[in-house]
Amino acid sequence: MTAHRRISFDNIQNNLSTTMLGRDLYVLDEVTSTFDACEKIGVCHGTVVCAKRQTDGTGRLGRSWESNEGGIYFSLILEPSRYGFDIQLYTLICALGVQRAISEHTACMIKWPNDIVSPDGRKLCGILTKIKLFDSKAGFINVGIGINANNKSFSDDLKYAGSLCDFLGREVDENRLLCSVLSEIEKVLCLSPDSLVKEFAEVCVTVGSRVKIVPAEGEKYAGNAKGISKDGSLMVEKDDGSLVCVNSGEVSVRGIYGENYV
Ligand code: ATP
């Protein structure tokens, strides 16, 4: 891989066009996870902690995120008191920022609420949002983002993983892509909540799909995803005709890979 395309502190700084995001920057070789790394650093609004590898990258609901060399792994710290968004919209904000940035290279959509996928359903990026409470209010949000930029291979069990470089047939400049993601997230943060939800729904592959909702507890059920509600929930019409709002924290949504639920 060409050295200047690899994540480096100097190259990120040289390409950064944001006002706040990424101006407080840490670039590390290997971490357990960028979440863990943030615990050891005095973070503030806009801090970005980036690593070349994670040995214990985390996904949602206790899952793991494979984080080999070639991917872009970073935590972005946001202070929600600066904006007028519901806390649960921050995952959507960052997903839209990443989707916009990756779309400059290749077609992609958002799998609600937190993954960026290629048109053939390969997962190119995962996003995990953790909230840090202070005095029972959300003090900081730590958004962990893993982008499969130049990853050469994945474990056999990751049958839906895909790498940007495979779609492009060439390597991606990891520094430029990271900077473009930060710049797009900064722009999305300036949208109104209504505009955010509208644009998100337009590029969300889940909307309009047949989905199966798999709650952490309780019965699974199938339905048709109708849209995204103001608070970022997925609106699902169940087969009995009732409409439910599915909260992102509670469920896994399956369906875009063509599984048959009927
Ligand atoms: P699902 O994709 O099963 O609906 P999810 O999107 O909520 O669940 P995440 O927490 O976003 O799950 O991502 C974790 C899952 O993504 C893992 O269980 C694994 O299947 C897959 N995965 C892990 N590492 C990668 C990677 N580098 N690229 C693509 N997919 C990965």
Side-chain angles (χ1 to χ4, degrees), residues 161-174:
S163 186
L164 272 175
C165 68
D166 286 339
F167 283 95
L168 297 175
R170 60 171 167 81
E171 287 175 357
V172 180
D173 185 323
E174 297 164 17

Side-chain angles (χ1 to χ4, degrees), residues 59-60 63-66 111 114-115 123 126-127 148 154 158 161-162 252-254 257:
R60 297 197 311 146
R63 301 188 184 112
S64 61
W65 187 258
E66 190 171 284
K111 177 180 167 242
N114 66 326
D115 292 325
K123 207 191 271 197
I127 297 171
N148 297 329
F154 298 98
L158 297 184
S252 261
V253 180
R254 317 234 161 233
Y257 304 123

